[in-house]
Amino acid sequence: MSFLKKLFGKKEKESLDQGLQKTKEGFLSKISKAIAGKSTVDEEVLDNLEEALVSADVGVETTVRIINRIEERVARDKYMGTGELNQILKEEIEKILVDASESASYTFDSEMPAKPYIILVVGVNGVGKTTTIGKLAHNFTQAGKSVLLGAADTFRAAAVDQLTIWSERVGVPIVKQPMGSDPAAVAFDTAQSAVSRNSDVVLIDTAGRLHNKAHLMDELNKIKRVIQKFIPEAPHEVLLVLDGSTGQNALEQAKHFTAATDVTAMAITKLDGTAKGGVVLAIADQFKIPVKFIGVGEKADDLLVFDKHEFVDSLFSLQS
């Protein structure tokens, strides 16, 4: 997608490089050890490479898939040198990352696929869900879009309060009701308000409880149904927020949420604080759902539109 390339500027690239520093330091040092003193890609190199990928939390299934593909390429070219391994690894990792469909692709600056474009945000408490909504609101607003927030996580007073703080900080309106209100009623009011305000983007926060999957499924389905009474094709996106620093635990959460609702995109947060950024690959590979946004720092500008080519390029770049 060439328009993504154009919008991925120097500032975003620097944020990405810095945000992935911990992951790539561990990852690249292990790859360097895997090929140290070797001139060809042999079984030992592949074993060491497998270990490097697993320890970056790429996950066993995804790692095996990558190693198998490399083995096939080595078999085709018997004398493949270790010098080529990095390039092959970059290509195979990039292939695993899923692109959003053309109809659901956008950046903060581009025209949205629909108006109002309704994003239902899901994820367990503590992953940075409300903060991600706030950062999305900031970035869309900076790009000149009108944004509306909906506080449909009515089970936690803190969630509504936190979202209200973000709405004030970013300067966008919020639709909310008292704690304990019906989340679907808040979602309905938000959809109605978005149409009357002619909003470009609508971000609706939802409760993040996982202990009762059936209840979660019922609640999310009810929210979808009431929004559709007003905007039949909405929500246009169900965005699952996952904490990248939790590694394999993020995969477990993704399993629960993809079983409970039709997740169409993912945002992965806190990648700057972990050496386990490889979990992005595991999640994209296992669920075949595009990663739309990644969080690589504390600042609102550190929530980036995900570009798989730039991500893999940063993962393999050695600049500090």
Side-chain angles (χ1 to χ4, degrees), residues 120-127 129-130 133 150-156 159-160 163 181-184 186 204-213 215-217 219-220 223 239-240 257 260-261:
L120 199 59
V121 187
V122 302
V124 299
N125 301 328
V127 295
K129 181 162 54 85
T130 313
I133 293 170
D153 182 356
T154 56
F155 289 89
R156 289 188 313 133
V160 179
L163 202 62
S181 301
D182 180 5
V186 179
I204 299 177
D205 191 14
T206 63
R209 294 152 305 136
L210 260 188
H211 60 269
N212 185 336
K213 198 160 68 185
H215 187 81
L216 176 74
M217 196 182 294
E219 188 177 292
L220 291 172
I223 287 173
L239 181 71
L240 172 60
F257 274 97
T261 190

Side-chain angles (χ1 to χ4, degrees), residues 175-292:
V175 174
K176 57 184 178 177
Q177 289 183 14
M179 190 188 157
S181 301
D182 180 5
V186 179
F188 181 79
D189 286 354
T190 307
Q192 208 169 21
S193 182
V195 171
S196 65
R197 289 171 180 270
N198 200 26
S199 302
D200 293 311
V201 182
V202 182
L203 298 158
I204 299 177
D205 191 14
T206 63
R209 294 152 305 136
L210 260 188
H211 60 269
N212 185 336
K213 198 160 68 185
H215 187 81
L216 176 74
M217 196 182 294
D218 290 345
E219 188 177 292
L220 291 172
N221 285 337
K222 188 179 172 189
I223 287 173
K224 282 182 180 180
R225 281 197 309 274
V226 301
I227 294 172
Q228 283 162 358
K229 284 179 184 172
F230 218 76
I231 303 165
E233 67 280 9
H236 303 96
E237 186 164 295
V238 178
L239 181 71
L240 172 60
V241 180
L242 297 167
D243 178 348
S245 69
T246 62
Q248 294 300 301
N249 192 30
L251 270 174
E252 277 306 302
Q253 290 171 21
K255 271 180 199 158
H256 283 286
F257 274 97
T258 50
T261 190
D262 182 22
V263 174
T264 61
M266 305 217 195
I268 300 177
T269 66
K270 308 181 189 180
L271 286 174
D272 54 308
T274 181
K276 296 186 176 294
V279 75
V280 173
L281 308 179
I283 290 165
D285 180 43
Q286 212 157 319
F287 299 98
K288 304 291 184 273
I289 295 170
V291 175
K292 278 273 183 88

Side-chain angles (χ1 to χ4, degrees), residues 108 134-136 138-139 166 170 297-304:
F108 297 125
K135 287 179 175 181
L136 285 169
H138 165 81
N139 284 296
W166 270 106
V170 180
E298 294 294 314
K299 301 193 297 290
D301 290 340
D302 290 332
L303 185 75
L304 305 175

Side-chain angles (χ1 to χ4, degrees), residues 15-205:
S15 291
L16 186 60
D17 282 342
Q18 286 164 12
L20 292 177
Q21 195 66 30
K22 287 186 180 176
T23 292
K24 65 185 179 185
E25 277 170 5
F27 183 62
L28 288 171
S29 68
K30 286 190 176 78
I31 290 175
S32 300
K33 282 178 192 157
I35 61 178
K38 296 279 186 176
S39 57
T40 58
V41 178
D42 58 16
E43 207 165 312
E44 189 187 347
V45 167
L46 290 170
D47 285 347
N48 292 340
L49 184 58
E50 191 170 328
E51 196 183 312
L53 289 165
V54 170
S55 65
D57 251 31
V58 171
V60 176
E61 281 177 49
T62 306
T63 295
V64 167
R65 208 184 315 280
I66 293 169
I67 296 294
N68 285 345
R69 285 177 179 179
I70 292 171
E71 277 180 332
E72 282 168 21
R73 290 177 72 161
V74 171
R76 282 200 304 271
D77 181 358
K78 296 278 188 250
Y79 301 102
M80 184 179 286
T82 52
E84 297 158 88
L85 188 59
N86 264 12
Q87 186 54 37
I88 292 161
L89 194 51
K90 281 170 83 168
E91 287 167 14
E92 294 304 336
I93 285 174
E94 204 169 313
K95 280 179 196 168
I96 270 170
L97 294 163
V98 184
D99 281 322
S101 68
E102 196 102 346
S103 61
S105 294
Y106 59 85
T107 66
F108 297 125
D109 298 274
S110 70
E111 196 176 322
M112 301 306 286
K115 181 173 180 171
Y117 192 78
I118 298 195
I119 303 174
L120 199 59
V121 187
V122 302
V124 299
N125 301 328
V127 295
K129 181 162 54 85
T130 313
T131 302
T132 298
I133 293 170
K135 287 179 175 181
L136 285 169
H138 165 81
N139 284 296
F140 279 124
T141 304
Q142 289 295 104
K145 291 180 173 55
S146 57
V147 180
L148 178 65
L149 303 182
D153 182 356
T154 56
F155 289 89
R156 289 188 313 133
V160 179
D161 292 346
Q162 204 185 346
L163 202 62
T164 303
I165 289 166
W166 270 106
S167 84
E168 290 165 358
R169 189 183 296 169
V170 180
V172 299
I174 185 170
V175 174
K176 57 184 178 177
Q177 289 183 14
M179 190 188 157
S181 301
D182 180 5
V186 179
F188 181 79
D189 286 354
T190 307
Q192 208 169 21
S193 182
V195 171
S196 65
R197 289 171 180 270
N198 200 26
S199 302
D200 293 311
V201 182
V202 182
L203 298 158
I204 299 177
D205 191 14

